[in-house]
Amino acid sequence: MKTKQLIILVGAMLCCAASLMAQAKPSVAILGDSYSTFKGYVQPDTNAVWYPQSDVKNNDVQDITQLWWYQFICDNGFRLSQNNSFSGATICHTGYDEADYSDRSYVTRLNNLLPADLIFVFGGTNDSWAKSPIGNYQYGGWSNRDLYQFRPAMAYLLDGILKRYPGTTVYVIINDGLTDEITTSMKTVCDHYQVKYIQLECIDKQWGHPSQKGMKQIAAQVAKAVCRQ
């Protein structure tokens, strides 16, 4: 075999090996809100984003590498399957000022969630801030009306993810500083479905959103829960 042919063959083999190694990395999908958005890095790309802010004084997260999920993925050997995050989205259909958020709610976007080895559900913040109706715990027989309340919607969401992607590892990330009702409800619903949750603690924020420091804290706390058990 001529030297030139050998170089081409070796190059092709290395490319194939690199591709196989990339595919071997476990995949991550995120169903989130503004905390996980970044312009150009959400899917579908019509989802509203919060990061980056035009004024660094509002929030110093200005580069995709500073996002919590980007750091988690790069530092722990994962690959991104989908970041289905939407700024301002509530888990249930009721948003701010009792507006109908069914076009962006988590229970609606569940239908656009792609499969992955690991799914993070990071939400509840806007339900807390918007004072969405809490409702009663309900684990089946949901009507569309039920999904305008937080507890039934949270249960519907986890039920849907687990049925859609059996065997997938799911983690619910719970923000710090939420109302006791929202926090307790998320943990109760997670326990019912035996879904693990990560309770964030002492996250540094600017304008209610994680700063660079806060993003590092989230990445570290998520990694501790997922990778170092």
Side-chain angles (χ1 to χ4, degrees):
M1 184 179 290
K2 295 181 179 180
T3 302
K4 185 175 181 180
Q5 292 175 317
L6 180 61
I7 292 173
I8 292 173
L9 178 61
V10 171
M13 291 174 65
L14 288 173
C15 287
C16 289
S19 177
L20 289 172
M21 287 178 65
Q23 293 176 12
K25 291 183 178 181
S27 58
V28 172
I30 303 151
L31 193 60
D33 54 25
S34 59
Y35 280 37
S36 303
T37 62
F38 199 92
K39 186 176 181 179
Y41 290 87
V42 294
Q43 185 181 359
D45 60 9
T46 52
N47 288 1
V49 300
W50 197 86
Y51 291 101
Q53 291 292 288
S54 57
D55 187 348
V56 71
K57 293 179 181 178
N58 296 337
N59 195 285
D60 62 3
V61 175
Q62 296 291 307
D63 190 88
I64 185 60
T65 60
Q66 296 164 340
L67 264 283
W68 73 268
W69 57 260
Y70 192 100
Q71 295 177 55
F72 170 81
I73 286 172
C74 291
D75 292 346
N76 297 283
F78 290 88
R79 62 183 177 86
L80 182 65
S81 170
Q82 182 191 30
N83 176 23
N84 189 340
S85 297
F86 196 121
S87 180
T90 46
I91 286 176
C92 71
H93 287 336
T94 304
Y96 291 91
D97 300 319
E98 301 181 355
D100 189 331
Y101 273 27
S102 58
D103 63 333
R104 71 201 70 176
S105 69
Y106 283 59
V107 296
T108 294
R109 287 186 293 123
L110 164 64
N111 298 318
N112 297 323
L113 184 64
L114 297 180
D117 298 302
L118 178 60
I119 294 176
F120 288 117
V121 178
F122 192 177
T125 299
N126 289 298
D127 301 81
S128 180
W129 291 354
K131 297 180 172 57
S132 301
I134 198 72
N136 297 316
Y137 293 111
Q138 182 180 344
Y139 300 109
W142 301 276
S143 67
N144 187 59
R145 184 177 179 179
D146 295 326
L147 301 181
Y148 283 83
Q149 303 172 87
F150 181 75
R151 285 171 177 166
M154 184 72 198
Y156 177 92
L157 176 65
L158 293 189
D159 185 85
I161 292 174
L162 295 174
K163 286 180 177 175
R164 185 180 292 253
Y165 302 119
T168 295
T169 301
V170 180
Y171 279 88
V172 171
I173 304 174
I174 305 175
N175 194 12
D176 62 346
L178 306 185
T179 64
D180 290 340
E181 228 175 7
I182 291 290
T183 300
T184 300
S185 297
M186 293 180 78
K187 292 178 179 180
T188 299
V189 174
C190 284
D191 288 342
H192 176 85
Y193 287 104
Q194 298 182 352
V195 169
K196 296 177 181 179
Y197 60 81
I198 303 168
Q199 174 65 71
L200 300 180
E201 298 179 353
C202 303
I203 302 302
D204 188 72
K205 298 170 185 174
Q206 298 168 333
W207 272 41
H209 291 71
S211 61
Q212 287 186 29
K213 179 181 178 181
M215 287 293 185
K216 289 180 180 179
Q217 291 170 323
I218 295 174
Q221 291 179 30
V222 170
K224 182 178 180 180
V226 175
C227 305
R228 302 170 191 169
Q229 293 186 15

